[in-house]
Amino acid sequence: MTDRTTRVAFLGLGAMGLPMAEHVLAAGFPLTVWNRTAAKADGLVAAGAARAATPREAAAGADVVLLCLPTQDEVRDVLTRDDGVLAGIAAGKIVVDTSTIDPTASQQLIALCAARGIPMIEAPLSGGTVGAKNGTLTMMIGGAATVLEGVRPVLESMAKNIFHVGGPGMGQTLKLCNQMIAGAQTIALAEAYAVLHAAGVDAKLATDVFAVSTANCVAIQQRVPVPGVLPNAPATNGWQPGFATEWMAKDLFLSQQFARSLDIPVAQNAANLQCFEQSIQAGYRKLDQSVFGKVLIDRIDEHKHHA
Ligand code: NDP
């Protein structure tokens, strides 16, 4: 299963899944795709992928089934529904879940697949939509190393850095911890740039300074929440494309629950989650997570307007 004859099914063609599936096809793997909203597969079908009407149909002829869906609820549904993956997949064929989901739920789903004779690994992603487009994602693999080796060439068509981090749930745990750190950066930037805005310091100048100071981080390089400061930042591109606020809130909620199950207090994470929830209340659920900076800056401007 290590040559380009490995038949791949890709289910979930969203902001991440679509560019990932494009890389699988471009690498020469025979590809079948399924998406809830069928039209999103049109471009891939025009480029040579086969279209399946159901997850079962997609899985039926596949050696590897890749999933990229929002949460454990959708992953469980697409695997177990009547026309789902498990109804179609042959024994011994492999499921790879690239979604970010609850670690305990992921363990349960991997056990459920194992009981049906289906090896499954989790492969949550980092690198965002830009990493997905460029095929430079990081994958944090939880599950059997032997299963990873069976699918490595397929994963390498999408990812630059593939880490086997441990057994089932370990990949998801690492990903949630990554989100705790990434989310903290986003909220720290939002608050700092709101202060700069209110005090009248130029945001571009501040960013140049931060880039060579101790504030430097991935968010300073990629996600300054002021339009026009970074040409490729979501703020400069209508808060698109990016990592939706609703998915960051999901990830920090899962982090919160998981930390609580381990008796770890994560007070900053709880505060950060509340900030992302404020963005959702403001109507920005689908916009990039950095839009919380706009929420704060808009409030300052409103106060000025009413003063
Ligand atoms: P999107 O919202 O862009 O895409 C979600 C996908 O899931 C779509 O294909 C959607 O189908 C499908 N879907 C949603 N609900 C259902 C359902 N009930 N049944 C079947 N399919 C469903 O999300 P992303 O691609 O941004 O994120 C996907 C996963 O990757 C999430 O777990 C996210 O946390 C993670 N991730 C995202 C990153 C990013 O930068 N965007 C970075 C790293 C990880 P439809 O087209 O019909 O809506």
Short mmCIF file of all heavy atoms in Angstrom, two decimals, residues 12-17 34-37 40 68-71 74 77-78 81 98-100 125-126 128-129 175 242-244 246-247 250-251, ligand 1:
data_model
loop_
_atom_site.label_atom_id
_atom_site.label_comp_id
_atom_site.label_asym_id
_atom_site.label_seq_id
_atom_site.Cartn_x
_atom_site.Cartn_y
_atom_site.Cartn_z
N GLY A 12 -15.46 15.32 3.49
CA GLY A 12 -15.46 16.61 4.20
C GLY A 12 -14.57 17.60 3.48
O GLY A 12 -13.39 17.73 3.78
N LEU A 13 -15.17 18.32 2.51
CA LEU A 13 -14.40 19.21 1.64
C LEU A 13 -14.63 20.67 2.05
O LEU A 13 -15.10 21.48 1.27
CB LEU A 13 -14.78 18.98 0.18
CG LEU A 13 -14.63 17.52 -0.29
CD1 LEU A 13 -15.24 17.34 -1.68
CD2 LEU A 13 -13.16 17.08 -0.29
N GLY A 14 -14.28 20.98 3.30
CA GLY A 14 -14.41 22.35 3.79
C GLY A 14 -13.16 23.15 3.53
O GLY A 14 -12.37 22.86 2.61
N ALA A 15 -12.94 24.19 4.36
CA ALA A 15 -11.79 25.08 4.17
C ALA A 15 -10.48 24.31 4.18
O ALA A 15 -9.54 24.65 3.45
CB ALA A 15 -11.79 26.13 5.28
N MET A 16 -10.39 23.25 4.99
CA MET A 16 -9.18 22.44 5.05
C MET A 16 -9.25 21.26 4.08
O MET A 16 -8.31 20.96 3.35
CB MET A 16 -8.96 21.92 6.47
CG MET A 16 -8.70 22.99 7.50
SD MET A 16 -7.18 23.93 7.20
CE MET A 16 -5.95 22.77 7.76
N GLY A 17 -10.39 20.54 4.12
CA GLY A 17 -10.50 19.29 3.37
C GLY A 17 -10.34 19.47 1.87
O GLY A 17 -9.67 18.65 1.21
N TRP A 34 -16.54 12.70 -1.12
CA TRP A 34 -17.93 12.91 -0.69
C TRP A 34 -17.97 14.16 0.17
O TRP A 34 -17.08 14.37 1.00
CB TRP A 34 -18.45 11.72 0.13
CG TRP A 34 -19.81 12.01 0.69
CD1 TRP A 34 -21.01 11.88 0.05
CD2 TRP A 34 -20.13 12.52 2.00
NE1 TRP A 34 -22.04 12.28 0.87
CE2 TRP A 34 -21.52 12.67 2.08
CE3 TRP A 34 -19.35 12.87 3.11
CZ2 TRP A 34 -22.17 13.16 3.21
CZ3 TRP A 34 -19.99 13.36 4.25
CH2 TRP A 34 -21.39 13.49 4.29
N ASN A 35 -18.97 14.99 -0.06
CA ASN A 35 -19.21 16.14 0.81
C ASN A 35 -20.70 16.31 0.97
O ASN A 35 -21.47 16.07 0.03
CB ASN A 35 -18.60 17.41 0.21
CG ASN A 35 -18.52 18.53 1.22
OD1 ASN A 35 -17.91 18.39 2.28
ND2 ASN A 35 -19.18 19.65 0.93
N ARG A 36 -21.13 16.72 2.20
CA ARG A 36 -22.56 16.90 2.47
C ARG A 36 -23.18 17.81 1.42
O ARG A 36 -24.23 17.51 0.86
CB ARG A 36 -22.73 17.47 3.88
CG ARG A 36 -24.17 17.69 4.26
CD ARG A 36 -24.28 18.26 5.65
NE ARG A 36 -23.64 19.59 5.76
CZ ARG A 36 -23.69 20.35 6.83
NH1 ARG A 36 -24.33 19.94 7.90
NH2 ARG A 36 -23.09 21.53 6.85
N THR A 37 -22.53 18.94 1.16
CA THR A 37 -22.97 19.84 0.09
C THR A 37 -22.22 19.42 -1.17
O THR A 37 -21.04 19.74 -1.34
CB THR A 37 -22.66 21.30 0.46
OG1 THR A 37 -23.21 21.57 1.76
CG2 THR A 37 -23.23 22.27 -0.57
N LYS A 40 -19.57 21.35 -3.64
CA LYS A 40 -18.19 21.70 -3.28
C LYS A 40 -17.18 20.73 -3.87
O LYS A 40 -15.98 21.00 -3.87
CB LYS A 40 -18.03 21.76 -1.76
CG LYS A 40 -18.67 22.99 -1.15
CD LYS A 40 -18.20 23.19 0.27
CE LYS A 40 -19.10 24.16 1.01
NZ LYS A 40 -18.90 24.11 2.46
N CYS A 68 -12.36 14.99 7.27
CA CYS A 68 -12.03 16.33 7.78
C CYS A 68 -13.35 17.04 8.07
O CYS A 68 -13.92 17.71 7.20
CB CYS A 68 -11.16 17.11 6.79
SG CYS A 68 -10.51 18.63 7.53
N LEU A 69 -13.83 16.87 9.30
CA LEU A 69 -15.17 17.32 9.70
C LEU A 69 -15.05 18.16 10.97
O LEU A 69 -14.00 18.16 11.62
CB LEU A 69 -16.05 16.09 9.95
CG LEU A 69 -16.25 15.19 8.71
CD1 LEU A 69 -16.80 13.84 9.11
CD2 LEU A 69 -17.14 15.87 7.68
N PRO A 70 -16.12 18.87 11.37
CA PRO A 70 -15.99 19.81 12.50
C PRO A 70 -15.67 19.17 13.85
O PRO A 70 -14.66 19.51 14.47
CB PRO A 70 -17.35 20.51 12.53
CG PRO A 70 -17.87 20.42 11.14
CD PRO A 70 -17.38 19.09 10.63
N THR A 71 -16.54 18.31 14.37
CA THR A 71 -16.41 17.83 15.76
C THR A 71 -16.62 16.32 15.81
O THR A 71 -16.96 15.68 14.81
CB THR A 71 -17.45 18.49 16.69
OG1 THR A 71 -18.72 17.86 16.49
CG2 THR A 71 -17.59 19.98 16.44
N GLU A 74 -20.00 14.97 14.22
CA GLU A 74 -20.07 14.71 12.77
C GLU A 74 -19.21 13.50 12.39
O GLU A 74 -19.58 12.72 11.51
CB GLU A 74 -19.62 15.94 11.96
CG GLU A 74 -20.57 17.14 12.05
CD GLU A 74 -20.40 17.93 13.34
OE1 GLU A 74 -19.34 17.79 13.99
OE2 GLU A 74 -21.32 18.69 13.69
N ASP A 77 -21.11 10.43 13.31
CA ASP A 77 -22.26 10.26 12.40
C ASP A 77 -21.81 9.73 11.04
O ASP A 77 -22.39 8.77 10.52
CB ASP A 77 -22.98 11.62 12.25
CG ASP A 77 -24.21 11.51 11.40
OD1 ASP A 77 -25.05 10.65 11.71
OD2 ASP A 77 -24.33 12.25 10.41
N VAL A 78 -20.77 10.34 10.47
CA VAL A 78 -20.34 9.93 9.13
C VAL A 78 -19.77 8.50 9.15
O VAL A 78 -19.90 7.75 8.18
CB VAL A 78 -19.32 10.97 8.56
CG1 VAL A 78 -18.61 10.44 7.34
CG2 VAL A 78 -20.04 12.28 8.24
N ARG A 81 -23.53 6.11 10.59
CA ARG A 81 -24.91 6.16 10.10
C ARG A 81 -25.16 5.02 9.10
O ARG A 81 -24.19 4.37 8.64
CB ARG A 81 -25.18 7.53 9.46
CG ARG A 81 -24.23 7.87 8.35
CD ARG A 81 -24.24 9.35 8.06
NE ARG A 81 -24.75 9.60 6.72
CZ ARG A 81 -24.67 10.78 6.10
NH1 ARG A 81 -24.13 11.82 6.71
NH2 ARG A 81 -25.15 10.92 4.89
N THR A 98 -8.70 13.55 10.35
CA THR A 98 -7.85 14.75 10.48
C THR A 98 -8.58 15.88 11.22
O THR A 98 -8.01 16.96 11.38
CB THR A 98 -7.40 15.27 9.09
OG1 THR A 98 -8.55 15.77 8.38
CG2 THR A 98 -6.72 14.19 8.27
N SER A 99 -9.82 15.64 11.66
CA SER A 99 -10.58 16.66 12.39
C SER A 99 -9.97 16.87 13.78
O SER A 99 -9.28 16.00 14.29
CB SER A 99 -12.03 16.19 12.57
OG SER A 99 -12.49 15.47 11.44
N THR A 100 -10.24 18.04 14.38
CA THR A 100 -9.86 18.26 15.78
C THR A 100 -11.06 17.93 16.64
O THR A 100 -12.08 18.64 16.57
CB THR A 100 -9.44 19.73 16.01
OG1 THR A 100 -8.39 20.06 15.11
CG2 THR A 100 -8.98 19.93 17.46
N LEU A 125 -4.58 18.53 12.61
CA LEU A 125 -3.73 19.34 11.73
C LEU A 125 -3.30 20.64 12.40
O LEU A 125 -4.04 21.20 13.20
CB LEU A 125 -4.53 19.74 10.49
CG LEU A 125 -5.30 18.62 9.80
CD1 LEU A 125 -6.33 19.22 8.85
CD2 LEU A 125 -4.33 17.71 9.06
N SER A 126 -2.16 21.17 11.99
CA SER A 126 -1.85 22.57 12.24
C SER A 126 -1.25 23.14 10.96
O SER A 126 -0.70 22.42 10.14
CB SER A 126 -0.88 22.74 13.41
OG SER A 126 -0.72 24.12 13.69
N GLY A 128 -3.19 25.72 9.25
CA GLY A 128 -4.27 26.55 8.71
C GLY A 128 -4.55 26.31 7.24
O GLY A 128 -4.01 25.40 6.61
N THR A 129 -5.41 27.18 6.70
CA THR A 129 -5.80 27.03 5.30
C THR A 129 -4.61 27.28 4.36
O THR A 129 -4.55 26.71 3.28
CB THR A 129 -6.96 27.97 4.96
OG1 THR A 129 -6.64 29.28 5.45
CG2 THR A 129 -8.25 27.52 5.62
N LYS A 175 -2.95 18.50 20.01
CA LYS A 175 -3.59 19.54 19.20
C LYS A 175 -4.36 20.53 20.08
O LYS A 175 -4.28 21.74 19.89
CB LYS A 175 -4.53 18.90 18.17
CG LYS A 175 -5.42 19.88 17.41
CD LYS A 175 -4.64 20.82 16.51
CE LYS A 175 -5.41 22.08 16.14
NZ LYS A 175 -6.09 22.11 14.91
N GLY A 242 -9.50 31.68 6.70
CA GLY A 242 -8.84 31.52 7.99
C GLY A 242 -9.40 30.41 8.81
O GLY A 242 -9.99 29.47 8.29
N PHE A 243 -9.19 30.55 10.10
CA PHE A 243 -9.64 29.55 11.06
C PHE A 243 -10.84 30.16 11.78
O PHE A 243 -10.71 31.14 12.52
CB PHE A 243 -8.51 29.22 12.02
CG PHE A 243 -8.86 28.16 13.02
CD1 PHE A 243 -9.35 26.93 12.62
CD2 PHE A 243 -8.71 28.39 14.37
CE1 PHE A 243 -9.69 25.95 13.55
CE2 PHE A 243 -9.03 27.42 15.31
CZ PHE A 243 -9.53 26.19 14.89
N ALA A 244 -12.01 29.59 11.53
CA ALA A 244 -13.26 30.19 12.00
C ALA A 244 -13.28 30.32 13.52
O ALA A 244 -12.84 29.43 14.25
CB ALA A 244 -14.45 29.34 11.54
N GLU A 246 -15.75 29.96 15.38
CA GLU A 246 -16.52 28.88 16.00
C GLU A 246 -15.65 27.64 16.25
O GLU A 246 -15.87 26.91 17.22
CB GLU A 246 -17.75 28.51 15.16
CG GLU A 246 -17.46 27.95 13.80
CD GLU A 246 -18.73 27.51 13.05
OE1 GLU A 246 -19.74 27.18 13.69
OE2 GLU A 246 -18.69 27.51 11.80
N TRP A 247 -14.65 27.43 15.40
CA TRP A 247 -13.79 26.24 15.62
C TRP A 247 -12.77 26.50 16.72
O TRP A 247 -12.40 25.59 17.46
CB TRP A 247 -13.11 25.79 14.33
CG TRP A 247 -14.03 25.40 13.20
CD1 TRP A 247 -13.76 25.52 11.87
CD2 TRP A 247 -15.35 24.83 13.27
NE1 TRP A 247 -14.83 25.08 11.13
CE2 TRP A 247 -15.82 24.65 11.96
CE3 TRP A 247 -16.20 24.47 14.32
CZ2 TRP A 247 -17.07 24.12 11.67
CZ3 TRP A 247 -17.45 23.94 14.03
CH2 TRP A 247 -17.87 23.77 12.73
N LYS A 250 -14.72 26.00 19.81
CA LYS A 250 -14.87 24.55 19.98
C LYS A 250 -13.61 23.96 20.62
O LYS A 250 -13.66 23.20 21.59
CB LYS A 250 -15.14 23.89 18.63
CG LYS A 250 -15.09 22.39 18.67
CD LYS A 250 -14.61 21.68 17.42
CE LYS A 250 -13.65 22.25 16.48
NZ LYS A 250 -12.67 21.35 15.90
N ASP A 251 -12.45 24.32 20.07
CA ASP A 251 -11.19 23.73 20.54
C ASP A 251 -10.90 24.13 21.99
O ASP A 251 -10.43 23.30 22.78
CB ASP A 251 -10.03 24.14 19.64
CG ASP A 251 -10.13 23.51 18.25
OD1 ASP A 251 -11.00 22.64 18.06
OD2 ASP A 251 -9.35 23.89 17.36
P1 NDP B 1 -15.36 23.98 7.46
O1 NDP B 1 -16.51 24.53 8.22
O2 NDP B 1 -14.74 24.81 6.40
O3 NDP B 1 -15.78 22.59 6.80
C1 NDP B 1 -16.50 21.66 7.54
C2 NDP B 1 -16.74 20.41 6.69
O4 NDP B 1 -17.54 19.49 7.45
C3 NDP B 1 -17.53 20.70 5.41
O5 NDP B 1 -17.13 19.77 4.42
C4 NDP B 1 -18.97 20.42 5.85
O6 NDP B 1 -19.83 20.09 4.81
C5 NDP B 1 -18.74 19.22 6.73
N1 NDP B 1 -19.85 19.02 7.66
C6 NDP B 1 -20.32 19.89 8.59
N2 NDP B 1 -21.35 19.35 9.27
C7 NDP B 1 -21.54 18.12 8.74
C8 NDP B 1 -22.47 17.08 9.01
N3 NDP B 1 -23.39 17.19 9.98
N4 NDP B 1 -22.39 15.95 8.27
C9 NDP B 1 -21.45 15.82 7.30
N5 NDP B 1 -20.55 16.77 6.98
C10 NDP B 1 -20.60 17.91 7.71
O7 NDP B 1 -14.28 23.55 8.56
P2 NDP B 1 -12.67 23.47 8.42
O8 NDP B 1 -12.32 22.76 7.16
O9 NDP B 1 -12.09 24.80 8.73
O10 NDP B 1 -12.33 22.55 9.70
C11 NDP B 1 -12.50 21.13 9.68
C12 NDP B 1 -11.75 20.55 10.87
O11 NDP B 1 -10.36 20.88 10.78
C13 NDP B 1 -12.25 21.07 12.23
O12 NDP B 1 -12.18 20.05 13.19
C14 NDP B 1 -11.24 22.18 12.54
O13 NDP B 1 -11.12 22.41 13.92
C15 NDP B 1 -9.96 21.57 11.96
N6 NDP B 1 -8.91 22.54 11.58
C16 NDP B 1 -9.20 23.67 10.85
C17 NDP B 1 -8.17 24.56 10.53
C18 NDP B 1 -8.44 25.83 9.75
O14 NDP B 1 -7.53 26.68 9.68
N7 NDP B 1 -9.61 26.02 9.15
C19 NDP B 1 -6.79 24.33 10.94
C20 NDP B 1 -6.58 23.09 11.64
C21 NDP B 1 -7.62 22.24 11.95
P3 NDP B 1 -20.66 21.24 4.00
O15 NDP B 1 -19.74 21.68 2.90
O16 NDP B 1 -21.88 20.54 3.53
O17 NDP B 1 -20.95 22.34 5.00
#
